Amino acid sequence: SDGCHFSLPFVQEEESEEEPKLKYERLSNGVTEILQKDAASCMTVHDKFLALGTHYGKVYLLDVQGNITQKFDVSPVKINQISLDESGEHMGVCSEDGKVQVFGLYSGEEFHETFDCPIKIIAVHPHFVRSSCKQFVTGGKKLLLFERSWMNRWKSAVLHEGEGNIRSVKWRGHLIAWANNMGVKIFDIISKQRITNVPRDDISLRPDMYPCSLCWKDNVTLIIGWGTSVKVCSVKERHASEMRDLPSRYVEIVSQFETEFYISGLAPLCDQLVVLSYVKEISEKTEREYCARPRLDIIQPLSETCEEISSDALTVRGFQENECRDYHLEYSEGESLFYIVSPRDVVVAKERDQDDHIDWLLEKKKYEEALMAAEISQKNIKRHKILDIGLAYINHLVERGDYDIAARKCQKILGKNAALWEYEVYKFKEIGQLKAISPYLPRGDPVLKPLIYEMILHEFLESDYEGFATLIREWPGDLYNNSVIVQAVRDHLKKDSQNKTLLKTLAELYTYDKNYGNALEIYLTLRHKDVFQLIHKHNLFSSIKDKIVLLMDFDSEYLHKLFKRDHHKGQRYHEKQISLYAEYDRPNLLPFLRDSTHCPLEKALEICQQRNFVEETVYLLSRMGNSRSALKMIMEELHDVDKAIEFAKEQDDGELWEDLILYSIDKPPFITGLLNNIGTHVDPILLIHRIKEGMEIPNLRDSLVKILQDYNLQILLREGCKKILVADSLSLLKKMHRTQMKGVLVDEENICESCLSPILPSDAAKPFSVVVFHCRHMFHKECLPMPSMNSAAQFCNICSAKNRGPGSAILEMKK
């Protein structure tokens, strides 16, 4: 099969990269004991317990581990079927000798009957525990419905007969489904009507050898498996207008498909199906047909076909002698447990949990995924520990030779566990890979024993001076015994006294040890620039009074760095720096001239003119206020109209623009540049009027179009700004109006601005008149003078006296 493979002894091994969907274990304990002397004939499953029937007429109640809790001697011959109600308190049993028993497991109620033919099936009402639901059906040659009536008497009624033995029945809710030799029928116990007949497809198969498998997925969905055919049927309500003499319900087949093997049992799994299949194969040697291992498949039903999700071949005991009718598939809906029942073996299949998922990932050496799965589900995993998976991952990487990845993973996996870190370091030492783990060692929280760090430093010192130097630079000095490492470096310097890497590292070690004198001596010997940092950081100026010239000699950028750090500290050297930059470092001359406020401009101009430094000269002329000379130089020396225009824009001087136009008027390329760039600063008409008639100007048309476009853009911008201004003004006016329309709080604290007495009378029952202005000044009406005849409007006396405009009092209030 192309399905999943398992390592368990009763699941056939098959190579596959797909993870299995189910895991299996044999139901042992009491079941093993029973099946050594007897054979299983049927089983039914409840959430709390199992009921197993045997060929020797015994019924055993078992716990979910297979331990026997109760035993019933029902008959001397084969038990054909056991039925339990949903409560698990009542059980129905039928046997090959025609005996039928229905009894309470925890009560005295009991029904006994013996028929004159084998009774193949029994099903008690799912709610048998209720007094109104004391019903069960039995099936042999007839399908009989038994009901308890008045005076605790049982009466029976024939639901169906005449189409051979009834071999399968399933009761769900108010619907009873059964199969006889001709097909499957469904009976509605409420309306007492048979609502469908689903005929058998392959009538060539003997129904006693290849029985029908029925299961209810829910209260209205019946799944039928018979031979190699599967049908999913949905019970639906018939519309009132279609009713007439028809049953109130009907059945629609929503999915049907063929399987590769004969079906022995069915069970639902969410929206998928679990199918137990009986397999016959032909031997390559003898060319005879033989019974192969049964299969448990998970199938996704589609409307006219199906998709196989997984397929497992099960090595159940005695599979070579079993027929299709010997296998049964029972299931526990609450826990997704599937029981494969055969005469000599009972196997339990269950959905795999996160621990099983991690097991499979580890088996496939997918450690990264296993670690991630464990971290995501750390609350749900029981058998696995994240640390154990991580350590196994590190070991796997080391065995594979991925030392760097293994060392990097140590950071995440080992975390702050110092003991594990030290253990791993010694493992890396054993395989000669201390260098691989060195970059990832913890340098604080936790801190390992000094010996660990010293061991790694010695390893680098023996073979990699640069790596050693890097570690000394990166590791804090308190991780290891400094004197031990200093002595080790000295020993190596005896062999190679001029090694600069070792000497510099020794200087750093001396610095850690506060032996600044020795460190300074080494830096000066090496002529290394780190000496300046050492001097500054540890205030060693008294030790270098006689070494200043030497220091300047091996750091020629000393003045430049000083200027970069502080533009003012070395101001007395700025004149000298002009010559030095001009002679040795021209790219830094112009930035220096721009940033320095202490260099003499005349001296700088002289030096730049002597060397014909045009850009620097232009800058200096501009800074000294001689913009016209600077512009002339740009035009005559650089011949760069764009730079000239940029310069004129920076200066924003009308006379400068005039000079630029006069200089450019006889140079067509310059005119083109001006036309393209001056439109937003100078009126282009001034330039266009001065162009001589007949002069050929490159790209004149494009330049004129650009001028018009720029002008149009300016007009649009102005109009846009005007619209925004008007909109803002209107918005503010509306805001002011809304503010003035708001109510004003008047309470006992407010006073009349005229008589200065409280604005509200002490007796609230008396009538009163108050005038409140927008400026929030308040007056008793009698305290205000009458408005003049010229203006009916009344104004606040205080604000009118101050000659303030409308709304000013509100602004004052906001302040």
Side-chain angles (χ1 to χ4, degrees):
S1 165
D2 57 352
C4 311
H5 72 90
F6 301 77
S7 58
L8 297 173
F10 43 81
V11 179
Q12 185 177 346
E13 287 282 344
E14 296 174 12
E15 276 306 317
S16 171
E17 283 304 309
E18 283 188 47
E19 184 176 359
K21 305 294 180 188
L22 301 170
K23 64 177 178 179
Y24 300 87
E25 55 188 54
R26 182 165 276 119
L27 201 59
S28 55
N29 302 319
V31 173
T32 306
E33 183 186 326
I34 293 164
L35 299 184
Q36 282 174 350
K37 301 172 185 176
D38 204 340
S41 61
C42 60
M43 192 169 90
T44 191
V45 176
H46 191 267
D47 290 345
K48 302 170 187 173
F49 64 95
L50 316 173
L52 179 69
T54 73
H55 278 260
Y56 288 171
K58 310 287 191 295
V59 172
Y60 296 91
L61 299 189
L62 314 164
D63 64 17
V64 290
Q65 279 79 38
N67 298 302
I68 301 169
T69 59
Q70 210 167 345
K71 176 185 173 184
F72 301 96
D73 285 312
V74 176
S75 167
V77 294
K78 176 183 170 188
I79 303 294
N80 281 329
Q81 192 159 13
I82 302 169
S83 175
L84 293 166
D85 67 349
E86 287 181 2
S87 70
E89 296 180 17
H90 296 86
M91 183 166 70
V93 182
C94 65
S95 57
E96 192 67 17
D97 60 359
K99 283 185 180 176
V100 173
Q101 290 186 34
V102 178
F103 55 93
L105 293 173
Y106 311 105
S107 66
E109 62 179 310
E110 196 171 352
F111 169 87
H112 285 271
E113 184 77 53
T114 302
F115 294 90
D116 58 359
C117 65
I119 300 299
K120 300 292 184 183
I121 58 97
I122 186 169
V124 300
H125 195 298
H127 304 131
F128 193 89
V129 71
R130 300 177 191 166
S131 58
S132 60
C133 298
K134 298 297 182 184
Q135 298 173 313
F136 64 90
V137 291
T138 63
K141 293 177 181 176
K142 304 175 182 177
L143 184 68
L144 294 175
L145 172 65
F146 287 83
E147 295 182 88
R148 192 167 71 178
S149 60
W150 187 62
M151 296 291 290
N152 283 340
R153 292 180 179 176
W154 290 90
K155 65 174 185 177
S156 64
V158 177
L159 297 184
H160 192 257
E161 64 179 323
E163 292 182 354
N165 276 339
I166 293 157
R167 302 180 184 278
S168 182
V169 67
K170 284 288 185 293
W171 193 330
R172 179 76 173 241
H174 302 305
L175 299 175
I176 305 170
W178 75 91
N180 56 30
N181 292 356
M182 305 304 292
V184 175
K185 296 164 178 61
I186 300 176
F187 184 81
D188 187 337
I189 199 74
I190 300 296
S191 65
K192 306 289 187 184
Q193 289 179 308
R194 202 167 74 226
I195 59 175
T196 190
N197 176 38
V198 181
R200 181 159 65 107
D201 288 343
D202 190 350
I203 56 172
S204 65
L205 293 173
R206 285 177 52 184
D208 59 328
M209 297 296 289
Y210 296 91
C212 176
S213 296
L214 299 174
C215 75
W216 287 98
K217 180 182 176 184
D218 51 48
N219 284 350
V220 294
T221 307
L222 177 68
I223 305 165
I224 305 169
W226 207 337
T228 59
S229 169
V230 176
K231 293 178 182 176
V232 181
C233 306
S234 181
V235 179
K236 299 190 174 182
E237 298 288 340
R238 201 183 297 277
H239 196 273
S241 62
E242 301 172 351
M243 200 83 74
R244 299 189 188 95
D245 296 329
L246 297 172
S248 60
R249 294 180 173 187
Y250 69 99
V251 167
E252 181 182 312
I253 297 175
V254 294
S255 173
Q256 63 178 5
F257 53 88
E258 292 292 315
T259 61
E260 194 176 346
F261 307 110
Y262 299 109
I263 295 161
S264 291
L266 291 168
L269 176 62
C270 299
D271 63 337
Q272 297 170 341
L273 285 180
V274 178
V275 180
L276 177 64
S277 299
Y278 170 70
V279 182
K280 279 196 169 183
E281 292 182 355
I282 297 173
S283 170
E284 292 180 5
K285 294 179 181 177
T286 63
E287 296 185 359
R288 289 183 180 180
E289 197 173 53
Y290 68 96
C291 299
R293 296 171 179 83
R295 307 197 74 85
L296 194 70
D297 300 344
I298 298 177
I299 287 174
Q300 178 70 59
L302 305 171
S303 58
E304 294 182 2
T305 181
C306 66
E307 179 187 350
E308 185 182 277
I309 307 301
S310 73
S311 181
D312 306 321
L314 310 180
T315 310
V316 297
R317 293 189 183 107
F319 71 87
Q320 297 90 341
E321 291 89 37
N322 292 341
E323 294 293 337
C324 183
R325 65 183 176 185
D326 294 324
Y327 292 109
H328 305 282
L329 180 63
E330 302 293 334
Y331 66 97
S332 171
E333 292 184 39
E335 302 175 62
S336 292
L337 294 174
F338 305 93
Y339 294 84
I340 298 97
V341 183
S342 67
R344 298 290 178 189
D345 211 354
V346 179
V347 174
V348 187
K350 60 179 73 174
E351 286 191 280
R352 294 165 62 85
D353 57 21
Q354 198 65 7
D355 279 297
D356 300 312
H357 175 55
I358 293 168
D359 279 334
W360 183 82
L361 290 171
L362 293 174
E363 182 190 326
K364 292 293 180 184
K365 300 192 183 302
K366 298 183 177 184
Y367 292 93
E368 185 80 41
E369 293 95 323
L371 198 58
M372 193 181 301
E375 286 169 352
I376 293 169
S377 308
Q378 55 185 316
K379 292 182 180 177
N380 298 326
I381 56 176
K382 297 170 185 173
R383 291 188 285 107
H384 290 284
K385 292 181 180 175
I386 293 173
L387 181 59
D388 293 342
I389 297 169
L391 292 173
Y393 187 18
I394 293 170
N395 288 339
H396 170 70
L397 290 169
V398 168
E399 286 169 10
R400 210 169 65 181
D402 292 333
Y403 304 115
D404 184 68
I405 300 173
R408 201 177 330 129
K409 292 295 176 187
C410 285
Q411 280 187 311
K412 179 182 178 183
I413 293 163
L414 305 182
K416 297 182 180 181
N417 192 321
L420 277 176
W421 267 110
E422 290 170 9
Y423 174 75
E424 286 298 327
V425 170
Y426 279 111
K427 270 176 54 179
F428 274 75
K429 178 179 171 57
E430 285 172 16
I431 57 173
Q433 290 295 331
L434 277 177
K435 287 184 180 179
I437 203 169
S438 63
Y440 308 106
L441 277 187
R443 302 171 190 181
D445 192 25
V447 174
L448 310 183
K449 292 174 185 172
L451 180 64
I452 299 292
Y453 301 100
E454 290 164 18
M455 188 167 66
I456 291 172
L457 288 172
H458 280 294
E459 179 81 13
F460 273 92
L461 199 52
E462 290 298 326
S463 57
D464 182 1
Y465 288 164
E466 290 295 335
F468 174 76
T470 302
L471 288 184
I472 294 296
R473 202 160 45 246
E474 292 179 354
W475 284 359
D478 56 357
L479 291 179
Y480 48 85
N481 189 328
N482 205 57
S483 58
V484 171
I485 303 302
V486 166
Q487 189 56 50
V489 175
R490 280 178 170 171
D491 291 343
H492 278 265
L493 279 169
K494 289 174 185 175
K495 306 170 198 172
D496 187 1
S497 60
Q498 299 304 311
N499 188 291
K500 291 184 177 181
T501 303
L502 280 182
L503 285 168
K504 182 177 179 299
T505 309
L506 183 59
E508 289 174 7
L509 288 166
Y510 280 139
T511 305
Y512 290 143
D513 214 21
K514 298 184 180 179
N515 192 343
Y516 303 125
N518 284 353
L520 184 62
E521 188 178 332
I522 292 173
Y523 279 130
L524 290 173
T525 304
L526 291 173
R527 303 168 71 84
H528 199 283
K529 294 177 183 179
D530 281 3
V531 71
F532 296 103
Q533 187 180 353
L534 182 73
I535 293 164
H536 180 75
K537 188 173 180 181
H538 301 292
N539 201 23
L540 303 179
F541 298 104
S542 59
S543 305
I544 57 161
K545 287 179 180 176
D546 57 342
K547 299 181 178 69
I548 297 295
V549 176
L550 175 64
L551 289 170
M552 292 186 68
D553 184 42
F554 70 78
D555 188 0
S556 58
E557 292 187 350
Y558 188 63
L559 276 175
H560 177 67
K561 290 284 177 68
L562 179 65
F563 177 73
K564 285 287 185 187
R565 189 181 183 97
D566 191 326
H567 293 344
H568 308 289
K569 274 197 173 173
Q571 63 187 47
R572 66 177 184 270
Y573 301 113
H574 282 198
E575 185 175 343
K576 178 67 176 172
Q577 275 181 266
I578 297 167
S579 303
L580 291 171
Y581 279 126
E583 188 69 29
Y584 302 107
D585 190 8
R586 186 187 170 186
N588 277 316
L589 175 58
L590 190 55
F592 173 75
L593 293 172
R594 284 186 176 137
D595 293 338
S596 173
T597 55
H598 303 289
C599 69
L601 298 179
E602 293 83 1
K603 177 69 175 176
L605 183 62
E606 182 186 337
I607 290 170
C608 293
Q609 284 176 333
Q610 285 173 358
R611 287 173 169 76
N612 198 27
F613 290 174
V614 179
E615 286 190 38
E616 290 82 351
T617 304
V618 166
Y619 171 74
L620 289 167
L621 286 170
S622 170
R623 187 168 165 186
M624 294 167 73
N626 196 348
S627 301
R628 301 184 80 170
S629 298
L631 179 65
K632 186 177 180 183
M633 196 167 190
I634 292 170
M635 301 291 282
E636 292 179 351
E637 299 289 336
L638 296 178
H639 305 288
D640 189 340
V641 68
D642 292 331
K643 199 170 187 68
I645 292 166
E646 194 63 37
F647 181 77
K649 285 180 181 178
E650 286 175 8
Q651 302 300 317
D652 198 21
D653 185 347
E655 291 184 2
L656 216 56
W657 281 108
E658 186 69 23
D659 289 350
L660 181 55
I661 291 169
L662 287 173
Y663 184 84
S664 305
I665 205 67
D666 58 346
K667 300 177 182 65
F670 278 40
I671 293 173
T672 302
L674 282 170
L675 287 171
N676 285 337
N677 289 284
I678 69 170
T680 54
H681 288 75
V682 179
D683 187 353
I685 297 297
L686 296 174
L687 175 61
I688 293 167
H689 277 321
R690 298 189 186 186
I691 298 172
K692 294 177 183 176
E693 194 172 337
M695 179 183 285
E696 287 190 15
I697 299 169
N699 301 316
L700 177 61
R701 185 186 63 182
D702 294 343
S703 300
L704 292 174
V705 168
K706 187 175 184 302
I707 288 170
L708 292 172
Q709 286 175 337
D710 288 348
Y711 178 76
N712 189 40
L713 181 62
Q714 285 185 18
I715 296 297
L716 288 172
L717 285 171
R718 287 188 181 187
E719 288 178 354
C721 290
K722 183 180 176 183
K723 285 178 182 177
I724 292 167
L725 184 63
V726 169
D728 284 354
S729 300
L730 185 60
S731 173
L732 290 169
L733 184 63
K734 286 179 178 177
K735 185 178 179 181
M736 186 183 81
H737 186 254
R738 281 197 307 272
T739 304
Q740 291 183 341
M741 290 289 287
K742 287 180 180 178
V744 178
L745 175 66
V746 179
D747 58 20
E748 60 273 5
E749 292 183 6
N750 294 105
I751 61 169
C752 172
E753 298 290 346
S754 179
C755 67
L756 301 180
S757 59
I759 199 78
L760 298 176
S762 55
D763 186 359
K766 290 181 179 179
F768 65 95
S769 296
V770 174
V771 177
V772 181
F773 291 97
H774 282 307
C775 56
R776 301 300 188 265
H777 290 127
M778 303 175 189
F779 299 89
H780 293 121
K781 190 168 185 181
E782 57 271 16
C783 295
L784 271 176
M786 293 297 290
S788 65
M789 296 299 290
N790 297 332
S791 172
Q794 198 162 11
F795 296 98
C796 171
N797 289 1
I798 297 170
C799 295
S800 298
K802 292 181 180 176
N803 294 318
R804 294 184 178 178
S808 58
I810 293 174
L811 290 174
E812 185 183 62
M813 227 184 69
K814 287 182 181 176
K815 292 174 188 175

